[in-house]
Amino acid sequence: MDKMEENLITYLQQMNIAKAILSQLKSTDIESMDFQLALCECLDIDSMNPVELIERNLTHQKMLSLLKDYDFSKNLPDVLTIITVDESLLPDGIPKLLTEQTVKVKGEVWVIHKSDVDPFPSSPHAHNYDSGISLHLGTGEFFNKKQSKGFLNCKKLNRLRGEIKGHSLPSLSERCKKPLTN
């Protein structure tokens, strides 16, 4: 193992310790990328070239000292609305992610951000963080990352869109503009 690999392993170990402590102190789950970007910002390091960050040999104590007052929320998108539905919108076979969270017995939560960093699949679009699925609010197409996972029934899409008040939504696809027959 060369020096760079050793430095990387040490950095990751120290970062994970500091990230866990800060997440607990700030009562939020801080992602590794957000943590790294914050460190780069505080140390005036180009975030596109974080090798310098690794070479600094920062301890978790130093990382905590640098980031104890950092506002991690400034990089998060504003939430437009959060919708809880009684009946699942997800197609059968979509697994839920195994992350630490409060388990909801009934209902499914969809979050729509006012300004999302990534406008894919639509602007705005809905996130179901329990499954890692996003939903195009015009076509009703489900995505996991950029891979299509099927379509939401038009009736359910229209019902979901009806819950989003006072905000511009993507145009409804031709598929869902047709009169619904039972």
Side-chain angles (χ1 to χ4, degrees):
M1 183 178 328
D2 66 11
K3 185 67 174 162
M4 185 58 166
E5 286 176 305
E6 288 176 18
N7 286 348
L8 177 58
I9 290 169
T10 301
Y11 166 77
L12 291 172
Q13 290 170 337
Q14 295 299 304
M15 180 198 67
N16 285 330
I17 294 167
K19 190 170 61 96
I21 293 168
L22 269 180
S23 291
Q24 188 173 23
L25 289 173
K26 294 183 178 278
S27 300
T28 187
D29 185 27
I30 300 170
E31 298 291 327
S32 296
M33 184 55 77
D34 295 331
F35 189 91
Q36 179 176 306
L37 292 172
L39 274 178
C40 286
E41 182 180 327
C42 289
L43 294 169
D44 199 26
I45 294 173
D46 180 6
S47 62
M48 298 305 285
N49 186 15
V51 173
E52 184 182 339
L53 185 61
I54 295 165
E55 293 171 345
R56 295 258 179 128
N57 295 317
L58 299 168
T59 64
H60 70 275
Q61 293 95 340
K62 180 65 176 170
M63 292 177 188
L64 287 170
S65 173
L66 287 166
L67 299 178
K68 69 180 185 298
D69 297 321
Y70 188 83
D71 181 12
F72 286 91
S73 67
K74 71 181 182 178
N75 298 327
L76 298 175
D78 294 333
V79 173
L80 185 63
T81 189
I82 297 175
I83 299 169
T84 303
V85 295
D86 291 330
E87 177 184 338
S88 179
L89 302 179
L90 295 169
D92 290 338
I94 298 286
K96 299 244 186 205
L97 297 178
L98 298 175
T99 56
E100 287 185 45
Q101 58 186 282
T102 303
V103 177
K104 292 187 180 286
V105 176
K106 188 175 180 182
E108 193 173 87
V109 178
W110 289 85
V111 179
I112 297 110
H113 297 287
K114 183 176 180 181
S115 52
D116 203 318
V117 175
D118 181 8
F120 182 84
S122 65
S123 184
H125 56 270
H127 293 272
N128 179 271
Y129 290 112
D130 288 342
S131 64
I133 295 291
S134 60
L135 174 67
H136 189 296
L137 290 172
T139 65
E141 189 169 7
F142 292 107
F143 291 91
N144 183 334
K145 298 188 174 48
K146 298 211 186 251
Q147 184 177 11
S148 177
K149 294 295 181 182
F151 287 86
L152 178 61
N153 161 303
C154 290
K155 188 175 181 180
K156 289 180 182 180
L157 175 62
N158 283 313
R159 192 171 25 203
L160 180 69
R161 286 172 57 101
E163 294 291 324
I164 306 167
K165 308 287 186 214
H167 300 287
S168 179
L169 295 176
S171 297
L172 196 58
S173 71
E174 289 300 317
R175 173 182 82 87
C176 292
K177 285 182 181 177
K178 298 174 187 166
L180 298 174
T181 56
N182 290 340

